[in-house]
Amino acid sequence: MKRRAFLGAAAGTAVLAGCKSGHEIEGGFTGVDVARGHALRDGALQAGNPPDVTRRTRVVIAGGGIAGLAAARALRLAGIGDFVLLELEDSAGGNSRGGAVNGVACPLGAHYLPVPGDHAREVQDLLEEFGLRRRVAGRWEYDERHLCHSPQERLYFRGEWQDGLLPVQGVGEATLAQYRLFSQRVEALRREARFVIPTLRAQTAPLLLSLDALAFEAWLDREGFTDAHLRWYLDYCCRDDYGAGMAHVSAWAGLHYFASRHGFHAPGDDNAERDAVLTWPEGNAWLMRRLADPLGERLRTAHVVTRIAERRGGVEVDVFDAATRSRIRWQAERCIVALPVFIAARVVENPPDVLTRAASFIHHSPWLVANIHVREPLADRPGAAPSWDNVIYGTRGLGYVDARHQALDPTPRATVLSWYRPLGPSAIDGGDGRRQLLDRPWTGWRDDLMEELSVPHPDLPALATRIDITRYGHAMSIPAPGLLRQLGAPKQVRAGRLAFAHGDWSGYSIFEEAFTRGHLAV
Ligand SMILES: Cc1cc2nc3c(=O)[nH]c(=O)nc-3n(C[C@H](O)[C@H](O)[C@H](O)COP(=O)(O)OP(=O)(O)OC[C@H]3O[C@@H](n4cnc5c(N)ncnc54)[C@H](O)[C@@H]3O)c2cc1C
């Protein structure tokens, strides 16, 4: 069903609620300094300027996202304290930063970490260090306070809320049969090939490469998965994990989402034990903060890396300090380049082939996250109870997570709803997301989200007080068909005195991939 038809059918009217709230909703853009990043692109920060000052250190880490922070932790664990971490934005964390709206903590990007599987050993160690996981009577247990509380997710479908995200309410037997078939297919593929997180521990078997060669949508066509509800759900999952629709990611990526973790569970599947996820009001910024805090002055924010050059016996890293507007040259033994691939290719002098090639075929999906402060809990439509993740069938956005879901105090209070909007290419988006992010005023996004969320929550316009919007022009690499083959076996990437670490090198971006790459780069 077309989105507008659905909205009309479900609500009776299509509301432009931002304009009808009866009070002014404050808001604007926050979180990412678009101008600073683009000044680097336009060459406005470096070209030919000698440094104002030269400094020495043993290791420079360029980029303070999860990969860069993981590298910093690994250096500390190895007893190497003489390093700096240089980050472009005013705070570290990259896509895993957090914020607050009217005093209520919320994520600006990444909001959860699934309980890591056996291959993500470094992430397991980190969680142990942070006290999130411990061994009790020979078994690993996770701290209940940080596991997502029940109910975890619900879907607004056909005018009511249902448990879980797979459409089941009133769907026919043919749909249920396709759910069961897809579940069996995923299980069979899981047995045949290693779908592993992190990908650098996978063997790039012929089966994985054949799935990589094909778009997920084409694979579904080939295998006879034609059911509209199944396909809506699978497309939703691709947009949720990769920021792009199922016609634009590989069959490997579409299946990896399920096969690397909990599988796909058809309704009524008794073994449908869903893998637990860890989450916090501020999202993965909870983890990020604990990685960043021990760094003290070694973490230099508002420091834009403009050039990385290998020299005989060392590395030179040039930086523009946006606070003092001065140029600093760091001389180091080595550099860990924890930057997105397209930026690394721009700043590394004489980039190695592996980097130039990767930058030519990796494309990034843009994203937008809107944090909506509501002064009291929203009224609800019938059906499943308010959950952590609340999705509306057939919309462009991915729904919202409630920042107060983990609160132990049950008193109804103000909260923040984080609305996620992927803007990569998909059946409902034309692929001009980056331009939209630059051109549209924040009020356009406000109206979009109000139109979607007012259907299940008609009182949202009246209760919303402020909306802060974070724009990511180049959020994460899209695992497009052929990417695995082009990346080669996605192992660790090194060249001379440079080691590369970023989620991009895995072909898709999640905490476990970024963290493991940062750790192993050291
Ligand atoms: C909206 C959104 C939601 C997400 N949700 C989840 C989730 O729930 N769970 C999950 O596991 N993953 C999620 N992700 C994926 C997320 O990208 C990864 O979890 C992880 O944060 C990626 O870390 P990274 O270090 O690879 O990259 P990045 O976060 O891209 O870090 C790169 C860093 O380099 C900095 N930088 C760039 N250029 C320069 C320069 N010239 N000089 C200095 N610094 C520079 C950037 O500012 C940034 O801090 C989400 C991503 C987005 C965008």
Side-chain angles (χ1 to χ4, degrees):
M1 191 188 285
K2 288 260 187 300
R3 172 172 150 270
R4 280 197 181 276
F6 167 75
L7 288 173
T13 52
V15 278
L16 270 182
C19 313
K20 289 194 179 172
S21 63
H23 70 285
E24 189 160 342
I25 300 172
E26 295 178 343
F29 294 123
T30 182
V32 170
D33 193 329
V34 177
R36 197 179 290 166
H38 285 173
L40 170 67
R41 177 196 65 188
D42 300 337
L45 302 181
Q46 77 266 46
N49 289 298
D52 299 310
V53 54
T54 298
R55 297 199 172 118
R56 281 179 198 285
T57 187
R58 189 163 165 198
V59 183
V60 168
I61 304 170
I66 293 301
L69 291 167
R73 171 177 171 271
L75 284 172
R76 288 192 296 111
L77 293 180
I80 299 170
D82 182 14
F83 65 86
V84 288
L85 189 157
L86 308 170
E87 164 56 41
L88 175 147
E89 298 287 350
D90 291 340
S91 62
N95 293 342
S96 293
R97 282 173 304 141
V101 191
N102 291 347
V104 181
C106 58
L108 293 187
H111 54 292
Y112 72 98
L113 171 67
V115 164
D118 292 344
H119 296 282
R121 299 189 283 275
E122 292 78 7
V123 180
Q124 291 178 340
D125 286 350
L126 176 79
L127 299 186
E128 221 174 309
E129 179 187 318
F130 288 172
L132 292 168
R133 150 187 156 112
R134 60 194 183 113
R135 211 175 244 293
V136 180
R139 292 188 49 194
W140 286 108
E141 280 191 2
Y142 283 83
D143 187 331
E144 292 282 343
R145 287 170 304 172
H146 306 294
L147 286 173
C148 184
H149 300 164
S150 190
Q152 191 164 313
E153 52 197 18
R154 62 177 181 165
L155 176 68
Y156 189 71
F157 180 57
R158 297 186 171 163
E160 59 185 273
W161 289 104
Q162 54 140 82
D163 283 324
L165 299 186
L166 196 59
V168 288
Q169 207 69 34
V171 300
E173 181 47 42
T175 298
L176 297 174
Q178 288 240 315
Y179 290 169
R180 287 193 292 272
L181 204 62
F182 186 74
S183 167
Q184 289 158 13
R185 199 75 186 88
V186 169
E187 267 323 293
L189 287 165
R190 256 151 84 99
R191 283 195 296 272
E192 271 178 75
R194 273 162 62 104
F195 289 87
V196 167
I197 297 174
T199 53
L200 48 67
R201 299 217 162 94
Q203 284 142 10
T204 338
L207 173 62
L208 294 185
L209 286 175
S210 72
L211 293 171
D212 168 65
L214 198 64
F216 189 35
E217 188 179 53
W219 183 87
L220 292 169
D221 290 343
R222 192 186 78 186
E223 301 284 317
F225 290 111
T226 51
D227 181 78
H229 295 112
L230 175 67
R231 288 171 80 106
W232 170 80
Y233 175 71
L234 297 176
D235 190 57
Y236 169 88
C237 293
C238 292
R239 295 195 303 125
D240 187 36
D241 245 28
Y242 309 128
M246 64 184 181
H248 301 269
V249 307
S250 68
W252 167 77
L255 292 159
H256 182 78
Y257 180 92
F258 304 104
S260 63
R261 297 203 200 273
H262 39 73
F264 174 96
H265 298 296
D269 175 352
D270 287 344
N271 297 320
E273 195 182 297
R274 127 169 313 285
D275 272 13
V277 305
L278 295 154
T279 188
W280 303 269
E282 69 273 47
N284 289 4
W286 190 95
L287 297 165
M288 184 279 290
R289 180 62 31 231
R290 282 159 181 76
L291 288 166
D293 279 351
L295 301 183
E297 294 203 337
R298 287 173 294 193
L299 169 61
R300 313 272 170 130
T301 55
H303 276 51
V304 188
V305 172
T306 56
R307 177 178 150 273
I308 300 173
E310 273 206 68
R311 292 281 170 263
R312 198 180 311 148
V315 186
E316 269 178 16
V317 180
D318 286 352
V319 183
F320 177 76
D321 177 346
T324 60
R325 305 200 67 73
S326 59
R327 292 180 173 75
I328 304 160
R329 174 159 296 164
W330 285 94
Q331 294 179 331
E333 289 174 23
R334 290 175 187 274
C335 178
I336 295 171
V337 186
L339 300 170
V341 160
F342 75 101
I343 296 178
R346 190 176 287 276
V347 299
V348 172
E349 204 172 83
N350 303 320
D353 280 355
V354 63
L355 176 58
T356 317
R357 274 194 304 112
S360 72
F361 57 69
I362 292 181
H363 299 285
H364 292 79
S365 54
W367 276 80
L368 177 140
V369 181
N371 279 301
I372 312 152
H373 179 270
V374 290
R375 61 171 191 270
E376 59 186 71
L378 299 169
D380 222 340
R381 299 281 192 193
S387 303
W388 170 63
D389 191 11
N390 306 267
V391 175
I392 299 132
Y393 185 81
T395 52
R396 288 170 192 244
L398 299 173
Y400 66 89
V401 293
D402 182 345
R404 266 189 57 80
H405 182 75
Q406 295 293 97
L408 298 174
D409 167 11
T411 325
R413 285 180 201 281
T415 188
V416 170
L417 310 178
S418 306
W419 180 72
Y420 286 83
R421 174 78 161 86
L423 284 154
S426 72
I428 49 176
D429 270 307
D432 67 339
R434 204 161 289 135
R435 173 97 337 253
Q436 286 190 53
L437 284 185
L438 276 179
D439 291 350
R440 285 188 92 192
W442 79 271
T443 47
W445 301 108
R446 174 202 65 192
D447 292 346
D448 280 6
L449 73 87
M450 284 293 176
E451 185 179 335
E452 290 188 358
L453 301 184
S454 294
V455 176
H457 301 296
D459 55 345
L460 176 63
L463 295 179
T465 62
R466 183 175 177 87
I467 301 175
D468 281 347
I469 292 176
T470 307
R471 295 172 291 175
Y472 299 91
H474 314 261
M476 50 170 78
S477 53
I478 301 173
L483 189 67
L484 269 194
R485 182 183 53 76
Q486 284 166 311
L487 274 174
K491 303 286 181 237
Q492 284 169 256
V493 185
R494 296 171 192 279
R497 292 174 176 273
L498 311 183
F500 293 89
H502 187 272
D504 281 359
W505 291 102
S506 299
Y508 75 110
S509 186
I510 54 172
F511 184 95
E512 298 98 302
E513 297 288 351
F515 185 86
T516 309
R517 285 189 177 275
H519 185 92
L520 295 181
V522 169

